[in-house]
Amino acid sequence: MNKIKNVIKNHRRQLKILGIIILSSILFFVIIIAIRRGENKQKYVIYNGENLTESKYPGYKQRINQLKEKYPNWTFTLFYTRLDWNEVISEEGHSDTRKNPFNLIPDSSNYPEDWKCEIDKEKTFDNGTWLCASNKAIRHQMDIRNLLNENKIFQLKELNYVEEAQTNEGMEEITEQTFLEKESIREALLQASKLANLDPYFITARLIQEQGRKGSTLSKGYEYNQVTIYNVFNVNAYGNSKNEILQNAAKYAYEQGWDTLEKSIMGGIEFVKESYINKGQNTLYLQKFDIVNQDGKLYTNQYMQNLLAPESEAANMLKIYKVSNTIDYQFNFIIPLYENMPKEISEK
């Protein structure tokens, strides 16, 4: 009987040890998975002049330091995307599974021949005046090191409202001889931007980018279902013909009740904030290239197809900050970092 009891006792002890081993193994794998997830999670770190590994992210540090030396009030936030550079370019480039490319360039001789997508080459998109952008063109525009200079850095500016940096005088300058120069419109832009904590120069530059300096059909008023509507942000303005684009944008504006220019501006600002800013896409660059996975998705939530839009909008913003002598205010710039970046900067 004692022998049997000892066998049972030993068996229980062995089962207990086995259970401990199994639980320990499970805990170990859970910890490993958590660590790996933590390593792959995107994060933001304030740059202090030292906390950037040059060997892993070549060509960033010197350029940021030069900007910091010239503009000591500026701050820089390192955005660890955890995304592979080549994978990003591949995702942003041509895909047989998409009806429309993510990135377009104007059908113009101003751009190199190899900026045209190799597959679609002469095929036109949107209103018939745009071509699919090649991977070379995308690499050049997305390579952050090409933006770390005074002329292009505002593509990376955090698009928040900065007290006293954005002024009435600046708004007068940026809206002069545009469809936005009316005083009531300028005031609506400034106040709505402040309320939404958005840079009014960004909002104004975006409107000029979308509508042109003199405005277009959607900013001058378009009749839809017997109602004159406005859609200055071109929300839902997509399609493969001018009429299709106009109808889609008009339908959206009609459903929103944008029957005045002011309503379109106010509603459009809220749209930009809800659809992009609140999802972490709070720079011109990040609104063009959706590399923020805050909403669990990548690449698809882009504001525009125009590959060159961030550069154009940033140039307008920079000009106004210089004219109004507020360029050295406390602006923050978000600097995306990609994995496996080549040492050579992407050429045009």
Side-chain angles (χ1 to χ4, degrees):
M1 183 63 72
N2 289 334
K3 189 174 182 180
I4 293 173
K5 287 183 178 179
N6 289 332
V7 169
I8 293 173
K9 189 176 181 180
N10 289 333
H11 183 64
R12 286 177 177 172
R13 186 182 296 113
Q14 290 173 353
L15 286 175
K16 187 176 181 180
I17 293 172
L18 181 61
I20 293 172
I21 292 172
I22 292 173
L23 287 173
S24 298
S25 298
I26 292 173
L27 182 61
F28 173 77
F29 284 114
V30 167
I31 292 172
I32 292 298
I33 291 172
I35 291 173
R36 287 181 176 176
R37 284 181 177 176
E39 290 175 346
N40 293 326
K41 187 177 181 180
Q42 295 184 333
K43 70 175 183 177
Y44 300 82
V45 179
I46 298 296
Y47 177 65
N48 62 15
E50 301 295 334
N51 57 341
L52 182 58
T53 307
E54 180 67 20
S55 59
K56 192 172 184 179
Y57 305 106
Y60 281 80
K61 193 171 183 178
Q62 181 181 0
R63 289 172 172 81
I64 296 175
N65 288 344
Q66 287 173 345
L67 286 168
K68 182 67 175 175
E69 184 177 353
K70 186 170 183 179
Y71 300 103
N73 289 325
W74 288 4
T75 58
F76 300 87
T77 298
L78 304 176
F79 171 35
Y80 290 86
T81 67
R82 308 302 192 194
L83 299 176
D84 180 83
W85 171 247
N86 292 312
E87 179 184 321
V88 169
I89 300 304
S90 176
E91 291 288 345
E92 289 284 344
H94 171 86
S95 172
D96 291 329
T97 62
R98 286 195 297 266
K99 181 180 179 181
N100 296 302
F102 281 161
N103 294 285
L104 301 176
I105 60 171
D107 185 3
S108 168
S109 58
N110 291 335
Y111 303 98
E113 186 68 20
D114 57 6
W115 270 40
K116 298 177 183 178
C117 183
E118 291 183 6
I119 296 176
D120 291 319
K121 209 69 175 178
E122 303 301 329
K123 182 180 178 181
T124 59
F125 296 89
D126 201 35
N127 61 3
T129 62
W130 296 86
L131 302 172
C132 171
S134 69
N135 282 11
K136 180 179 181 180
I138 296 170
R139 275 195 296 270
H140 181 268
Q141 295 301 110
M142 287 196 73
D143 193 330
I144 299 300
R145 296 167 297 186
N146 283 323
L147 312 184
L148 295 178
N149 57 73
E150 184 178 313
N151 292 328
K152 295 186 176 183
I153 186 66
F154 273 71
Q155 294 181 53
L156 307 176
K157 178 189 174 295
E158 188 174 4
L159 299 173
N160 59 313
Y161 181 84
V162 179
E163 193 69 43
E164 296 183 357
Q166 297 113 9
T167 64
N168 285 318
E169 292 73 23
M171 291 298 292
E172 287 179 11
E173 182 71 29
I174 197 173
T175 59
E176 186 178 5
Q177 296 184 352
T178 75
F179 72 100
L180 300 166
E181 68 178 343
K182 189 177 177 182
E183 186 177 355
S184 62
I185 300 298
R186 290 201 308 268
E187 289 179 355
L189 278 168
L190 192 59
Q191 292 306 314
S193 299
K194 185 175 182 179
L195 187 64
N197 190 28
L198 291 178
D199 185 337
Y201 296 170
F202 146 63
I203 293 295
T204 308
R206 171 64 52 82
L207 294 180
I208 294 172
Q209 175 72 35
E210 294 289 350
Q211 300 297 322
R213 297 192 67 81
K214 294 302 179 182
S216 70
T217 303
L218 289 171
S219 59
K220 294 176 180 178
Y222 178 75
E223 188 170 320
Y224 183 87
N225 281 359
Q226 299 182 324
V227 176
T228 301
I229 56 85
Y230 300 81
N231 190 339
V232 286
F233 284 87
N234 283 342
V235 183
N236 270 31
Y238 61 87
N240 285 318
S241 70
K242 185 176 181 179
N243 185 62
E244 184 181 0
I245 294 168
L246 195 56
Q247 286 296 304
N248 285 331
K251 181 176 183 291
Y252 184 89
Y254 176 80
E255 291 171 346
Q256 304 304 312
W258 294 347
D259 55 6
T260 68
L261 184 58
E262 287 84 354
K263 286 182 182 179
S264 177
I265 289 173
M266 303 286 278
I269 288 174
E270 189 60 30
F271 169 82
V272 170
K273 184 168 184 177
E274 290 295 327
S275 301
Y276 297 93
I277 301 296
N278 290 352
K279 293 181 179 180
Q281 293 173 261
N282 53 352
T283 70
L284 296 174
Y285 183 96
L286 294 177
Q287 287 182 21
K288 175 66 194 84
F289 308 112
D290 180 15
I291 54 170
V292 183
N293 66 5
Q294 186 172 307
D295 59 355
K297 300 176 183 178
L298 290 168
Y299 309 115
T300 57
N301 194 48
Q302 62 173 18
Y303 190 90
M304 72 290 281
Q305 290 173 281
N306 182 359
L307 179 64
L308 307 170
E311 184 174 330
S312 176
E313 291 178 85
N316 283 332
M317 290 172 62
L318 173 64
K319 177 183 175 182
I320 302 309
Y321 279 116
K322 283 186 172 181
V323 168
S324 58
N325 294 316
T326 56
I327 192 171
D328 195 24
Y329 270 63
Q330 294 179 340
F331 301 136
N332 183 50
F333 298 85
I334 298 175
I335 315 297
L337 300 174
Y338 299 102
E339 304 305 310
N340 301 314
M341 283 293 288
K343 289 185 179 180
E344 301 78 20
I345 298 176
S346 304
E347 297 180 350
K348 189 171 184 178

